[in-house]
Amino acid sequence: MTACAFDAALAAGPTGALGAAQRRRAAFTIAADGSYGARLALSGEAGCWFPERWTLDGPEPYAVPLPAAQPEEPDSEVLPLADGQVLIRRRVAGRHTLSLLYPAGPGTGERPLGAVECAELSLLPPAPGGSSAFALGHGERSTSVWLVHGGGFGPQHLAEVPGHCTGGIWLDRTGRLLALDRRLDGRTKTVVVDLRRGGETSPLLQITDDSDDRLLLADPDSGLLLVRSDAPGDERLGWGVLGSARPVRFPDCLRPAQAEATPFAVQPGQVLTPEACAVAFRMDGPAGRPWVGLWRPSERRLRQLPAPEGWLAGAGL
């Protein structure tokens, strides 16, 4: 397993208000097939935000800037597609507009996709296949699921889920089953939304009636689930298997002293062998510079390694 490494200046950790914005925008999103990546980057000379696309499937990663006619706002979001285009969500006059960006000679081509009218809209992680894109609309009492690219008719409303939903983990390779962490009646539980059955919702995680249970990572091949829950008495990392009747386990090794572990990548292709499936963690400690953790359920230990130089922490395959 390898972690992707980019941009040493941002990984070094700038300080101050601008530094906080840089760390937020340093979040790097990788297409579903690993071919491309995208992020909002900051121009050092002009101090302006612009989309940046990375090609990852060649001999060496390289970046292509995709600036539009005017600088982007720092709360815009970008999502790479498997065909090399980058979807961008912008907030414009109370609406959320969506467009596809792509290199066009010396400049940037842009194809508008439409707009969604809601108070808050956030892009979901890349969908399986890499040709479609989805988003969550956040209302006062419910959360809407939108197909914002790939439907052929502009943004399409797919489902309305009661409660406030966050996260977004794909549980299959077809883009049908979406896991969301739903806050409802004072508790957070993970539910599954079936996008091909009108948004039919069913529970996924309910470790105890009174616990807050969140899904952090899932692998459709092995069925391995990484969760965070306060069911053991305080908030801890645990693992389980999709569809298994066995309880979620909370290994002590996923609770390292003076560090916080956050899973960000899981080994694919381990069909029906969840205990052999490797997981990569971002490790954060008091020193400020993150490092990498590697773990398999069967090993029952968390190996800790230095981060690659210039790592945009928490992004990788």
Side-chain angles (χ1 to χ4, degrees):
M1 177 181 294
T2 59
C4 296
F6 310 98
D7 201 328
L10 281 175
T15 59
L18 180 57
Q22 284 179 315
R23 287 192 296 273
R24 242 186 351 262
R25 290 299 95 199
F28 193 83
T29 303
I30 299 175
D33 64 354
S35 55
Y36 293 96
R39 65 167 182 158
L40 278 189
L42 183 65
S43 169
E45 296 180 357
C48 299
W49 297 102
F50 64 93
E52 187 177 71
R53 188 198 72 183
W54 285 74
T55 298
L56 304 177
D57 58 358
E60 184 175 334
Y62 65 92
V64 175
L66 294 173
Q70 61 185 31
E72 305 294 346
E73 295 296 326
D75 64 348
S76 298
E77 291 182 292
V78 292
L79 185 80
L81 301 175
D83 62 5
Q85 298 183 96
V86 174
L87 186 143
I88 185 167
R89 177 204 59 80
R90 303 179 177 111
R91 187 193 301 269
V92 179
R95 302 189 306 160
H96 298 269
T97 65
L98 300 137
S99 296
L100 290 177
L101 305 177
Y102 52 91
T108 302
E110 180 166 345
R111 180 161 70 92
L113 298 176
V116 175
E117 294 191 16
C118 62
E120 298 292 337
L121 187 77
S122 57
L123 296 180
L124 283 164
S131 61
S132 300
F134 298 80
L136 292 183
H138 305 281
E140 291 185 6
R141 295 181 177 84
S142 64
T143 302
S144 52
V145 183
W146 291 82
L147 174 64
V148 294
H149 174 61
F153 305 100
Q156 298 178 34
H157 180 270
L158 299 180
E160 197 75 23
V161 183
H164 180 75
C165 296
T166 56
I169 306 288
W170 297 100
L171 298 179
D172 65 342
R173 296 292 185 192
T174 67
R176 172 178 178 173
L177 300 178
L178 176 66
L180 298 172
D181 296 330
R182 178 172 68 174
R183 184 77 175 173
L184 186 66
D185 299 329
R187 293 292 176 195
T188 300
K189 304 288 185 184
T190 303
V191 298
V192 179
V193 182
D194 190 329
L195 298 181
R196 294 186 188 169
R197 300 189 65 176
E200 181 179 290
T201 302
S202 57
L204 178 66
L205 286 180
Q206 186 163 327
I207 300 175
T208 70
D209 290 341
D210 299 326
S211 59
D212 288 323
D213 310 317
R214 295 175 173 85
L215 182 65
L216 303 182
L217 207 62
D219 175 56
D221 296 331
S222 65
L224 181 66
L225 305 177
L226 271 293
V227 308
R228 189 183 299 277
S229 173
D230 58 7
D234 56 356
E235 203 167 77
R236 295 185 58 176
L237 288 174
W239 71 280
V241 179
L242 185 64
S244 172
R246 297 185 65 183
V248 172
R249 281 148 281 186
F250 296 92
D252 289 337
C253 67
L254 297 185
R255 199 182 189 186
Q258 298 184 330
E260 180 182 359
T262 305
F264 69 86
V266 62
Q267 181 183 12
Q270 305 299 297
V271 179
L272 302 179
T273 56
E275 294 197 357
C277 194
V279 181
F281 292 80
R282 168 182 169 153
M283 308 295 298
D284 290 285
R289 188 180 181 91
W291 64 99
V292 178
L294 292 176
W295 169 81
R296 287 181 175 85
S298 61
E299 292 182 352
R300 301 183 182 180
R301 67 187 180 101
L302 178 67
R303 289 183 287 160
Q304 301 185 44
L305 307 169
E309 187 65 29
W311 181 38
L312 290 182
L317 297 173

